[in-house]
Amino acid sequence: MQYRTLGSSGLRVPELSLGTGTFAGRGPLFGEWGAGDHRQARRMVDIALEAGVTLFDSADVYSDGAAEEALGAALRGRRDRALISTKLGLPVGEGPQDAGTSRARVIDGAERALRRLDTDRIDLLQLHGFDAATPVEESLSALDALVRDGKVRYVGVSNYAGWQLMKALAAADRLHLPRYVAHQVYYSLVGRDYEWELMPLAADQGVGALVWSPLGWGRLTGRIRRGAPLPERSRLHRTASLGPVVDDEVLLDVVDVLSEIAEETGRTVPQTAINWLLRRPTVSSVIVGARDEDQLRDNLGAVGWELTPDQVARLDAVSHREPPYPRSPYHRQEGFARLDPPMFARA
């Protein structure tokens, strides 16, 4: 396992992290992902730690907080060996303070997360979504209070648009408040929108990407193939509408090339898809989830080897899609392309 700095911070994170969306398994969505056995959660953490994974990501909405409880229990007695990342801001109830990133919600939400995680600090606290009703200065001030109290070490966000993230970073600089060092984003071979605006912003501002759903919401597991029906046991039958939209033809084209390269390398389709992501600019860590030990071990096999330049180029080509304006001229017109740094010109 290799380790990278998280954005422009001094925090070192593993190139693969373990997501806990499969822990606890409660509710209509998370119940499809995992089971409620704390012993299984501890076993998954055991395997991850043995492989050098030190960052574990959760959220208050994962199984109504039960995933955080399972993670806290799994790390009991070895908390100092791990980094805990969690998120808050999405609705957790019907009350007026049960959603958003107001000062009350951020501070109360962090306190509840600390209790569920059975820890005295959160290494990385992220706002799970942009709250248009709360001034960014208020959210930043609340996070600053948590950092000053030693309850939070670093702060980040998730699922922000470019202007939202830049507005918050500018406010942090103006008010001398903690800057967001991480942006947890959706990014995969069948979902490369991150590259259009957020990746250049992240490179310019020193914000590290923590990638969620690197297998395209379960579409790049190797079980979906051209000419074959969706497997009966696939959770996509029940959860596809809740995740990122993927065009079926794009998916099948990407899967065809992934399958060819997986055969060439002796790796699996998921390992190949994750390995491609690890080579992308601004990516600090790819968050993998797993329903069982076999799936986790397979995902962990995405590191320790590299795709060849030719294989990367083939995956780049098959997954490339024309970006929307204003990015399109920088891809298609020489005059614009000369203004764009090479790493982003065809990203």
Side-chain angles (χ1 to χ4, degrees):
M1 189 67 60
Q2 300 295 313
Y3 300 86
R4 306 173 177 186
T5 55
L6 181 58
S8 60
S9 77
L11 184 64
R12 299 282 289 174
V13 297
E15 55 189 340
L16 293 183
S17 307
L18 181 62
T20 63
T22 59
F23 288 11
R26 297 181 187 175
L29 174 60
F30 298 104
E32 296 286 345
W33 287 3
D37 189 343
H38 278 207
R39 288 175 298 178
Q40 183 180 8
R42 186 175 180 88
R43 180 58 183 153
M44 302 288 265
V45 170
D46 289 343
I47 294 170
L49 287 172
E50 289 168 6
V53 172
T54 55
L55 178 60
F56 299 86
D57 181 72
S58 197
D60 57 0
V61 294
Y62 292 176
S63 295
D64 296 323
E68 288 180 325
E69 293 175 352
L71 176 59
L75 288 174
R76 195 164 293 142
R78 49 186 177 174
R79 172 66 180 90
D80 290 341
R81 294 179 58 189
L83 299 170
I84 291 178
S85 162
T86 196
K87 303 178 290 293
L88 57 80
L90 295 183
V92 293
E94 300 299 325
Q97 302 299 333
D98 288 339
T101 59
S102 68
R103 183 177 182 84
R105 172 78 170 94
V106 169
I107 292 178
D108 291 348
E111 294 285 1
R112 288 193 290 268
L114 286 165
R115 290 193 291 271
R116 287 191 295 266
L117 290 162
D118 191 23
T119 185
D120 61 350
R121 83 274 186 192
I122 294 167
D123 297 288
L124 174 65
L125 180 62
Q126 300 154 100
L127 306 184
H128 211 157
F130 183 73
D131 177 7
T134 298
V136 295
E137 295 84 357
E138 180 178 336
S139 302
L140 287 164
S141 175
L143 291 169
D144 178 57
L146 291 167
V147 171
R148 289 177 180 274
D149 287 345
K151 296 176 180 178
V152 170
R153 299 287 173 82
Y154 295 89
V155 296
V157 295
S158 182
N159 304 314
Y160 271 41
W163 72 267
Q164 295 165 346
L165 178 54
M166 193 63 242
K167 180 177 181 178
L169 292 171
D173 290 344
R174 184 177 71 252
L175 299 172
H176 304 289
L177 296 172
R179 273 182 133 247
Y180 297 136
V181 298
H183 190 190
Q184 193 166 141
V185 297
Y186 168 60
Y187 187 22
S188 78
L189 272 165
V190 291
R192 294 177 59 180
D193 294 12
Y194 168 71
E195 298 172 352
W196 296 342
E197 294 291 340
L198 294 170
M199 180 185 281
L201 188 159
D204 181 71
Q205 293 295 313
V207 180
L210 299 177
V211 177
W212 62 264
S213 205
L215 300 181
W217 203 251
R219 293 176 173 91
L220 301 179
T221 60
R223 291 190 291 271
I224 295 177
R225 302 280 180 163
R226 188 181 296 277
L230 187 66
E232 283 188 22
R233 295 185 60 187
S234 173
R235 60 180 172 84
L236 286 169
H237 289 292
R238 297 171 294 279
T239 65
S241 63
L242 301 174
V245 176
V246 176
D247 179 88
D248 287 343
E249 281 307 308
V250 171
L251 171 62
L252 293 174
D253 288 345
V254 169
V255 167
D256 285 345
V257 177
L258 270 176
S259 300
E260 293 171 3
I261 294 175
E263 186 172 349
E264 293 167 8
T265 59
R267 303 289 176 169
T268 65
V269 167
Q271 290 170 351
T272 306
I274 293 170
N275 192 277
W276 178 86
L277 278 171
L278 290 169
R279 313 300 157 202
R280 308 305 290 172
T282 75
V283 171
S284 293
S285 188
V286 174
I287 302 170
V288 298
R291 192 182 186 97
D292 54 41
E293 292 185 27
D294 290 341
Q295 191 175 44
L296 176 56
R297 292 186 188 281
D298 185 75
N299 287 339
L300 292 172
V303 301
W305 60 282
E306 292 189 11
L307 294 164
T308 67
D310 172 72
Q311 290 166 340
V312 171
R314 286 154 59 191
L315 289 170
D316 287 351
V318 73
S319 61
H320 173 75
R321 292 298 174 268
E322 183 75 8
Y325 176 84
R327 291 297 300 169
S328 52
Y330 293 86
H331 286 241
R332 300 173 62 186
Q333 299 178 30
E334 182 180 354
F336 282 88
R338 288 178 61 187
L339 303 175
D340 219 17
M343 74 169 64
F344 302 122
R346 294 178 178 81

